């Protein structure tokens, strides 16, 4: 293939697609809204699954680099109730199959694997239109445009490419995360650090569905927490998240009565709490074949979070890149083959996430114990 592939979005999926194409000698350009690679935090921990994320990194010839950023011991998991009682405790004995890495580290591995100039920073896509047979034009916020014969939307939940293929839009699933961070927790919050343990903590209220939190131990003693609240969006609109102290206090009220070492994950934070409303596309989302364009990752199959999203995005990218390399003279055959595998795979994953998106306490125990 000599026609450059135009990729919108420099998340894990978009970058891994560019890397797989590069391995096969296929040119690609990635357009990203962020002005630079360090413009914003890249999020917390990811468990990379053998059948999806690890497969994708192997396809991209980056297994060794991936192993170099794995955080040892982080596959440990603990389940506590609201009183701090330990219900399940599994240490990382080295036999786990889903190593943990920090998203920012993995993104940097992908960036470092690409030729200089592959990613065009500061290009926020605002719209896409068809301009001929299998050709499209992308418009950016600065008024510039780019034309392409092969367009891939890897631009997440609110994809600007998706409307070209589908009328579907993400819907709020009825709950949100509030993300918090504690730094140097072993020294400054030893009881909380002990409660979290060496890897992942899940703590929940056994008497109230939809009230639970998950905390991850990152590098340098950082604890990143996702506090779950099953509330409508207008409830969160009544909280001023620009006032960090007031927002943390209001969220903590919902967890009143929890063990102090768990409550500190909300009240002892070192950064402003960040609201993460959760949305999903319809289960089984698909589209008719549109010549010269396709989607991957959350742009294609946004689901409630269940540990699969980043893995599926990378798997999508690996399979799309492989299909294009297998059919360099017939893009439509490649895209058809990719989508025929994508649709049933993503529908199965979305259905599974839908089942677990608002779990009972018993279902939560079963999910994390697995």
């Amino acid at each position: 293939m000599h026609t450059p592939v135009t990729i919108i979005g420099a998340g894990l999926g978009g970058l891994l697609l560019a890397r797989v194409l590069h391995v096969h000698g296929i040119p690609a350009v990635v357009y990203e809204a962020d002005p630079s690679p360090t413009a914003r935090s890249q999020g917390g921990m990811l468990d990379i699954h053998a059948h999806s994320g690890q497969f994708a990194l192997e396809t991209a010839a980056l297994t060794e680099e991936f192993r170099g950023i794995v955080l040892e011991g982080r596959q440990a998991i603990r389940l506590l109730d609201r009183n701090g009682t330990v219900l399940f405790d599994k240490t990382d004995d080295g036999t786990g199959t889903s190593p943990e890495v920090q998203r920012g580290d993995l993104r940097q591995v992908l960036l470092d694997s690409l030729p200089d100039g592959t990613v065009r920073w500061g290009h926020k896509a605002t719209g896409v239109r068809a301009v001929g047979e299998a050709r499209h034009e992308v418009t950016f916020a600065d008024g510039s445009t780019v034309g392409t014969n092969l367009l891939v939307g890897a631009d997440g939940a609110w994809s600007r490419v998706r409307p070209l293929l589908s009328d579907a839009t993400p819907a709020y699933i009825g709950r949100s995360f509030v993300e918090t961070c504690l730094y140097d927790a072993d020294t400054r919050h030893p009881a909380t650090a002990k409660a979290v343990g060496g890897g992942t903590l899940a703590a929940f209220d056994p008497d109230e569905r939809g009230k639970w939190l998950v905390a991850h131990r990152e590098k340098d003693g950082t604890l990143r927490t996702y506090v779950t609240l099953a509330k409508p969006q207008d409830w969160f609109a009544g909280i001023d998240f620009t006032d960090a102290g007031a927002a943390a206090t209001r969220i903590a009220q919902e967890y009143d009565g929890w063990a102090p070492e768990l409550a500190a994950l909300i009240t002892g934070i070192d950064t402003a709490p960040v609201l993460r409303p959760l949305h999903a596309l319809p289960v089984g989302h698909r589209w008719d074949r549109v010549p010269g364009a396709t989607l991957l990752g959350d742009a294609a199959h946004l689901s409630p979070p269940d540990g699969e999203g980043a893995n599926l995005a990378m798997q999508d990218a690996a399979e799309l890149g492989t299909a294009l390399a297998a059919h360099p003279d017939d893009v439509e055959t490649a895209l058809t083959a990719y989508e025929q595998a994508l649709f049933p795979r993503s529908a199965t994953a979305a259905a599974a996430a839908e089942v677990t998106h608002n779990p009972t306490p018993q279902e939560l125990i079963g999910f994390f114990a697995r």
Side-chain angles (χ1 to χ4, degrees):
M1 281 183 64
H2 300 291
T3 299
V5 179
T6 299
I7 303 168
I8 307 300
L12 298 181
L15 293 175
L16 195 134
L17 173 58
R19 168 62 183 180
V20 173
L21 294 174
H22 174 63
V23 167
H24 290 283
I26 299 172
V29 179
V30 183
Y31 292 92
E32 167 57 40
D34 286 348
S36 74
T38 58
R40 60 188 174 92
S41 170
Q42 293 303 307
M45 301 286 288
L46 297 172
D47 53 323
I48 306 302
H49 304 163
H51 65 280
S52 50
Q54 291 180 51
F55 152 77
L57 290 161
E58 182 178 356
T59 303
L62 291 173
T63 295
E64 183 176 350
E65 291 82 352
F66 161 66
R67 293 295 175 187
I69 63 170
V70 168
L71 295 180
E72 300 298 335
R74 298 310 198 278
Q75 293 185 72
I77 187 163
R78 309 188 81 203
L79 299 180
L80 276 65
D81 68 14
R82 57 175 287 170
N83 299 314
T85 303
V86 178
L87 304 175
F88 179 84
D89 192 358
K90 181 180 179 181
T91 60
D92 184 351
D93 61 4
T95 63
T97 59
S98 298
E100 297 271 356
V101 301
Q102 294 204 211
R103 181 187 288 268
D105 292 346
L106 182 54
R107 190 192 197 210
Q108 193 59 52
V109 163
L110 292 168
L111 286 169
D112 291 343
S113 74
L114 297 173
D116 290 344
T118 299
V119 181
R120 310 289 172 84
W121 303 99
H123 283 74
K124 181 179 181 179
T126 57
V128 179
R129 67 186 184 99
V131 292
E133 183 71 24
R135 186 167 178 80
H136 301 93
E137 181 183 80
V138 183
T139 301
F140 300 102
D142 63 1
S144 63
T145 62
V146 63
T148 178
N149 293 322
L150 181 46
L151 177 64
V152 180
D155 49 343
W158 307 104
S159 170
R160 296 294 185 174
V161 180
R162 188 193 301 120
L164 188 70
L165 298 95
S166 167
D167 293 331
T169 57
Y172 183 60
I173 67 171
R175 65 183 174 95
S176 295
F177 286 159
V178 176
E179 182 180 339
T180 68
C181 278
L182 269 65
Y183 298 134
D184 194 19
D186 293 297
T187 300
R188 300 177 60 212
H189 303 278
T192 300
K194 181 180 179 180
V196 172
T200 296
L201 161 75
F204 62 94
D205 187 336
D207 301 318
E208 187 168 352
R209 184 172 185 170
K211 185 172 288 187
W212 49 280
L213 57 81
V214 174
H216 299 284
R217 178 178 287 275
E218 300 184 352
K219 293 188 294 187
D220 304 320
T222 296
L223 303 180
R224 187 182 300 269
T225 302
Y226 300 91
V227 181
T228 301
L229 287 171
K231 302 285 189 181
Q233 286 186 287
D234 58 6
W235 186 88
F236 292 100
I239 300 174
D240 181 5
F241 279 89
T242 65
D243 185 335
T249 297
R250 181 65 190 90
I251 299 301
Q253 288 174 2
E254 298 299 310
Y255 282 75
D256 184 49
W258 281 50
E261 63 272 24
L262 299 177
L265 291 165
I266 307 171
T267 60
I269 57 178
D270 299 304
T271 60
V274 179
L275 177 63
R276 306 287 189 195
L278 302 178
H279 294 77
L281 287 166
V283 174
H285 175 240
R286 61 175 59 208
W287 54 88
D288 294 332
R289 173 93 290 283
V290 173
T294 194
L295 305 170
L296 64 78
D298 283 350
H301 46 72
L302 178 68
S303 300
D306 65 346
E308 295 288 350
N311 285 282
L312 289 173
M314 291 192 290
Q315 183 178 1
D316 293 349
E319 295 196 358
L320 175 55
T322 300
L324 290 168
H327 303 281
D329 299 318
D330 191 345
V331 168
E332 285 309 301
T333 294
L335 296 184
T336 297
Y338 161 69
E339 291 177 354
Q340 284 178 344
L342 169 73
F343 293 146
R345 181 178 71 248
S346 59
T348 299
E354 183 74 13
V355 169
T356 60
H357 93 82
N358 187 24
T360 65
Q362 293 73 26
E363 289 169 339
L364 196 63
I365 292 173
F367 175 82
F368 282 102
R370 287 194 300 275

